[in-house]
Amino acid sequence: GAVVSQHPSWVICKSGTSVKIECRSLDFQATTMFWYRQFPKQSLMLMATSNEGSKATYEQGVEKDKFLINHASLTLSTLTVTSAHPEDSSFYICSAKGAGADTGELFFGEGSRLTVL
Amino acid sequence: GQNIDQPTEMTATEGAIVQINCTYQTSGFNGLFWYQQHAGEAPTFLSYNVLDGLEEKGRFSSFLSRSKGYSYLLLKELQMKDSASYLCAALDSNYQLIWGAGTKLIIKP
């Protein structure tokens, strides 16, 4: 199946700093990428949907100025957590939907575990 | 509103069969996914159903009834490695995945 690579897998940062997470589709062009967040013992929560070349669409309650999403190419989307705080510590996962993927099947990255001290 | 319901936790015995049910209510419907997620890892795709009926894939099968808004995941010949959370997700008319909270499956020897 298609491969989505997410980097970094683990990141620890100090409160107030910014962290960038990359999501790459390695063997297909991803017209749409989704960013999710998962807190311990909870389900995945969709944060935003990004389409290549356009602004991301954020879910209700997600601060677009805090979680900056850039989808500049068909193979790369980035999520930047700005001025991170301990409550932002979570598991962040991206998924990608390829062009012409009629089934709508999503391919997931490995996830990035963010710990903010 | 949109909603996915599935049991919070199930327990089964190694070698047995278990069925995990899922009911959904969405704005439009473009298919039903089942994903497996081990603790601390990203979900992995198991199955996709868009037509009524049973889809079999090795030890795992998935069933869909669109008229009833119902699906189930059937796991046969359970192995200890099948202990995981199983997520049901429906694709709505905007191709957004609506996720259930997941069913934690515990396999006992």
Side-chain angles (χ1 to χ4, degrees), chain A residues 36 38 43 46 105-106 108-109, chain B residues 35 37 42 45 96-97 99-100:
Chain A
Y36 297 85
Q38 184 180 34
S43 184
L46 179 65
E105 183 176 353
L106 300 183
F108 283 89
Chain B
Y35 283 85
Q37 185 179 27
F45 171 80
Q96 299 291 326
L97 270 180
W99 293 89

Side-chain angles (χ1 to χ4, degrees), chain B residues 58-109:
Chain B
R59 294 190 298 114
F60 292 5
S61 302
S62 57
F63 171 84
L64 175 68
S65 169
R66 295 177 66 133
S67 62
K68 295 181 180 178
Y70 167 71
S71 172
Y72 67 73
L73 180 69
L74 190 71
L75 294 79
K76 304 176 184 176
E77 302 169 15
L78 286 170
Q79 301 174 10
M80 298 303 293
K81 67 179 182 180
D82 297 330
S83 292
S85 286
Y86 290 86
L87 305 173
C88 171
L91 202 61
D92 72 8
S93 57
N94 294 320
Y95 283 91
Q96 299 291 326
L97 270 180
I98 312 302
W99 293 89
T103 299
K104 183 179 180 181
L105 178 62
I106 300 169
I107 309 296
K108 295 185 175 181

Side-chain angles (χ1 to χ4, degrees), chain A residues 11-13 19 21 81 84 88-92 112-116:
Chain A
V11 58
I12 300 173
C13 69
V19 175
I21 301 170
V81 183
D88 298 324
S89 297
S90 185
F91 196 40
Y92 293 87
S112 299
R113 185 167 297 284
L114 171 64
T115 301
V116 184

Side-chain angles (χ1 to χ4, degrees), chain B residues 1-5 23-29 68-69 90 92 98:
Chain B
Q2 307 200 97
N3 190 51
I4 305 285
D5 284 317
T23 58
Y24 63 89
Q25 291 178 307
T26 55
S27 301
F29 180 75
K68 295 181 180 178
D92 72 8
I98 312 302

Side-chain angles (χ1 to χ4, degrees), chain A residues 12-31:
Chain A
I12 300 173
C13 69
K14 292 182 179 180
S15 185
T17 61
S18 294
V19 175
K20 180 185 283 188
I21 301 170
E22 293 186 348
C23 181
R24 294 181 184 273
S25 57
L26 299 185
D27 53 359
F28 69 103
Q29 293 183 327
T31 54

